[in-house]
Amino acid sequence: MDNHTIKTVFKEYIHPLDSKIIQKMIDHAKIDKYVKKFDVLTFMNTFIYAQLKQLDNLQRISDTIKRKKTVQRLVGIESISKSQLSRKNGDIPSEIFQVILHHLIQKLHRILGPKTAGKALGKLHLIDSSTISMCLSQYEWADFRDTKSGVKMHTSITFCEGISYPNEVILTPARPADETQLDSLIVLDKNVLHVFDRGYFNFKKFDTYCAEGIRFVTRIKTNTVVHVIEELPIDSSSPITRHAVVKIGKMKNPLQLVETVDSKGNQIRIVCNDAKVSAQEMSDLYRNRWQIELFFKWVKQHMVIKKLYGKSENAVYNQIYLAMISFCLTLLMKNKIGYKGTLLEMLRWIRDFCSHSITTLISKVFKEPERSSRGRRRLDHEKVFQVTVAQYELGDVLLLDDLTYDPII
């Protein structure tokens, strides 16, 4: 069979993007109306490949395409200059990739949702933001502080049984407070339990969520006024020091309050508007909030978003959305082939075999170990000594001169 007709790992990797649907969206927006060479689909393939290979600047992308025939076949273009890459990255509306990301997120929900939905507490959505800091003189549009610019990734992820995947990603300049995007990250589903930190503290929003049946767990600030309605019993063997029904600040609706301590011995006060959640569950749920910090850390370490390809708002947002698209594609590939290792291991497999056939990748990933020996064993010296002494006492000493004899067998 001709190698060009074999489905490569990269083609299988980007298959969930549904190029026909994306092309209809592009045609409707008339983005590629006068484009002959470097259209949006080719641009997307090129920058997803760059994310996979961690090509952190436009010159490296241009050089890689120019020098490698295999890369040219994968992305669909024989050569492209740094200036063309930059111009296209700045011209494509970021809303295009935002829609594509949402399309992939919906696929993840359909595939992973039924597998990971918790029966007792429902779906767990973790909410937080992460800031990408930038130079003030080059990114003046990204208002942050007096000394630097920045972009915030306001993010909601679904987490259950060790699996994290995005539910919503909203990009804004870094200066606006986190709570301004809270309503957009909340899911209007009574089976969803939202967990977020003190950056989203807002009494009016909390009362609205209580009235609409939106469940949440959050940590309250140290200066929050607490009105106790009822003290509840606690298990003396648990790390929880207090459990009560309270009203906080000017809220009209009652909440559960749990007080516990963190690993450093600092007091933590957590509130929840679901009366069915136990005190221990509230504590455990809030500890799970750190999973979104691990999500941000993973994306920043293994996707290209800390080194930016362009300086315009479109260019920056496009790069971040494409990084998140690549994250989703990696998770979809891991699920599709049934790989049980970590997501990073899956990413490395894809990265190393992206130009090979998908059958080659699967054969390598699930290859049986070739070693048939028992391997290196740790000797039980005391057991060897006791067996040798017993043989000596019985007069069975001929075996002591046999170099092939193993008393452990």
Side-chain angles (χ1 to χ4, degrees), residues 15-26:
H15 179 70
L17 292 171
D18 294 333
S19 58
K20 292 182 179 179
I21 296 175
I22 296 173
Q23 188 61 58
K24 287 182 180 179
M25 180 173 61
I26 294 168

Side-chain angles (χ1 to χ4, degrees), residues 234-251:
I234 58 173
D235 185 350
S236 58
S237 62
S238 76
I240 295 170
T241 58
R242 186 185 186 188
H243 186 200
V245 178
V246 302
K247 286 186 178 181
I248 60 173
K250 298 180 180 179
M251 281 190 65

Side-chain angles (χ1 to χ4, degrees), residues 1-254:
M1 182 181 291
D2 190 311
N3 288 335
H4 296 286
T5 64
I6 298 174
K7 197 164 191 178
T8 63
V9 171
F10 184 74
K11 294 298 182 184
E12 188 67 28
Y13 181 74
I14 63 175
H15 179 70
L17 292 171
D18 294 333
S19 58
K20 292 182 179 179
I21 296 175
I22 296 173
Q23 188 61 58
K24 287 182 180 179
M25 180 173 61
I26 294 168
D27 292 342
H28 179 74
K30 299 180 179 180
I31 298 173
D32 284 338
K33 187 175 182 180
Y34 300 106
V35 175
K36 296 181 180 180
K37 179 181 178 182
F38 197 43
D39 58 20
V40 174
L41 285 176
T42 306
F43 170 89
M44 183 172 63
N45 292 346
T46 300
F47 278 83
I48 289 174
Y49 180 86
Q51 288 287 340
L52 270 180
K53 291 293 188 176
Q54 292 187 308
L55 305 177
D56 58 6
N57 63 69
L58 298 180
Q59 190 62 58
R60 286 187 64 194
I61 298 173
S62 175
D63 291 344
T64 302
I65 295 173
K66 182 179 179 180
R67 295 168 184 169
K68 298 183 178 181
K69 296 289 186 182
T70 54
V71 178
Q72 295 171 14
R73 289 196 292 268
L74 292 180
V75 303
I77 194 169
E78 293 184 358
S79 65
I80 191 75
S81 68
K82 174 183 174 181
S83 59
Q84 287 173 305
L85 290 169
S86 178
R87 185 162 53 250
K88 193 71 174 182
N89 191 29
D91 289 345
I92 300 176
S94 61
E95 290 78 10
I96 292 290
F97 298 113
Q98 185 179 23
V99 171
I100 294 172
L101 175 59
H102 286 165
H103 176 66
L104 288 179
I105 288 172
Q106 292 305 314
K107 283 195 173 186
L108 284 170
H109 278 291
R110 289 195 298 270
I111 294 170
L112 299 178
K115 295 182 180 180
T116 59
K119 294 181 180 179
L121 297 173
K123 298 177 182 178
L124 189 62
H125 282 200
L126 312 179
I127 295 173
D128 206 348
S129 71
S130 182
T131 301
I132 301 171
S133 298
M134 301 180 296
C135 174
L136 179 62
S137 62
Q138 298 184 32
Y139 299 89
E140 293 183 0
W141 57 268
D143 188 29
F144 186 20
R145 294 177 181 168
D146 294 338
T147 56
K148 60 181 177 180
S149 297
V151 167
K152 267 187 184 177
M153 298 169 54
H154 302 272
T155 308
S156 164
I157 68 169
T158 299
F159 173 74
C160 190
E161 298 181 3
I163 299 176
S164 301
Y165 58 93
N167 180 66
E168 181 64 88
V169 178
I170 300 171
L171 303 179
T172 68
R175 186 178 289 275
D178 288 350
E179 68 174 83
T180 60
Q181 299 300 321
L182 182 57
D183 288 342
S184 300
L185 298 173
I186 291 291
V187 178
L188 301 178
D189 184 345
K190 294 182 180 180
N191 293 320
V192 170
L193 183 58
H194 303 84
V195 183
F196 44 86
D197 203 1
R198 292 174 293 183
Y200 297 91
F201 208 74
N202 187 303
F203 294 135
K204 290 184 179 179
K205 290 182 185 294
F206 292 172
D207 261 331
T208 300
Y209 297 156
C210 291
E212 295 178 355
I214 298 171
R215 303 188 303 154
F216 66 86
V217 174
T218 189
R219 182 178 174 184
I220 63 176
K221 298 180 179 180
T222 54
N223 61 348
T224 301
V225 177
V226 177
H227 306 280
V228 179
I229 298 175
E230 180 185 3
E231 294 285 353
L232 300 175
I234 58 173
D235 185 350
S236 58
S237 62
S238 76
I240 295 170
T241 58
R242 186 185 186 188
H243 186 200
V245 178
V246 302
K247 286 186 178 181
I248 60 173
K250 298 180 180 179
M251 281 190 65
K252 299 177 182 179
N253 293 277

